[in-house]
Amino acid sequence: MASESLTQQQTRQVFIEATMGQMWRNNSGAYQDEYGNFIRYGLCNESEQQNKKFKSSDLIGITPTLITGDMVGYYLGVFTALEIKKPGWHLTPGDKRGQAQANFHRLVKDACGFAGFVTDPQDALRIVRRA
């Protein structure tokens, strides 16, 4: 069975080749520096309360998207968030981390972005409507 790390590497490659977009690793966490200051990093991680409700995705990127109608011929970059999971993973009601990640996906989708869980590189293409 493939690992989450391998799925992430393959997803980045497939995504960039298929969309000509960009995708970056979004590390998230917190630590205390040598002066005693508590430092938080990663998207949607400005406070402990926010981090409990929203957990940003492993990969953050921009998907070039052709606009139709009066802007025919123009491309816009659409915010894209992909949460990588090992093959066979499924979201369950008791998975607090997964539910917080799904909350982040809803935030992104509500703002007209692309977001979702990826257990196979082809999932990424379905999320950005390229498969």
Side-chain angles (χ1 to χ4, degrees):
M1 180 177 279
S3 69
E4 185 174 313
S5 178
L6 179 60
T7 301
Q8 184 174 129
Q9 291 170 352
Q10 293 172 338
T11 297
R12 288 177 84 171
Q13 182 177 357
V14 166
F15 175 86
I16 291 167
E17 288 174 2
T19 69
M20 300 300 289
Q22 295 294 318
M23 192 59 56
W24 301 280
R25 177 80 176 110
N26 175 45
N27 292 311
S28 181
Y31 70 96
Q32 194 168 18
D33 71 11
E34 67 271 17
Y35 304 106
N37 298 312
F38 199 67
I39 310 296
R40 303 185 77 79
Y41 55 92
L43 297 174
C44 272
N45 191 22
E46 296 173 24
S47 70
E48 185 176 356
Q49 296 79 15
Q50 183 183 53
N51 186 260
K52 284 181 181 178
K53 187 173 182 180
F54 300 103
K55 295 201 181 299
S56 58
S57 297
D58 293 322
L59 298 176
I60 300 297
I62 301 169
T63 304
T65 304
L66 179 65
I67 302 303
T68 57
D70 65 332
M71 292 181 69
V72 170
Y74 287 92
Y75 283 86
L76 295 180
V78 177
F79 186 90
T80 305
L82 303 175
E83 178 60 37
I84 309 299
K85 298 294 186 186
K86 66 182 180 179
W89 176 90
H90 296 288
L91 181 61
T92 61
D95 181 350
K96 290 182 181 179
R97 181 173 187 78
Q99 293 298 333
Q101 291 165 334
N103 287 342
F104 182 74
H105 294 162
R106 279 190 287 280
L107 241 170
V108 170
K109 290 176 184 178
D110 287 350
C112 300
F114 298 128
F117 292 103
V118 174
T119 60
D120 175 277
Q122 292 303 309
D123 293 340
L125 300 183
R126 284 188 285 279
I127 289 166
V128 298
R129 303 177 191 135
R130 303 291 166 91

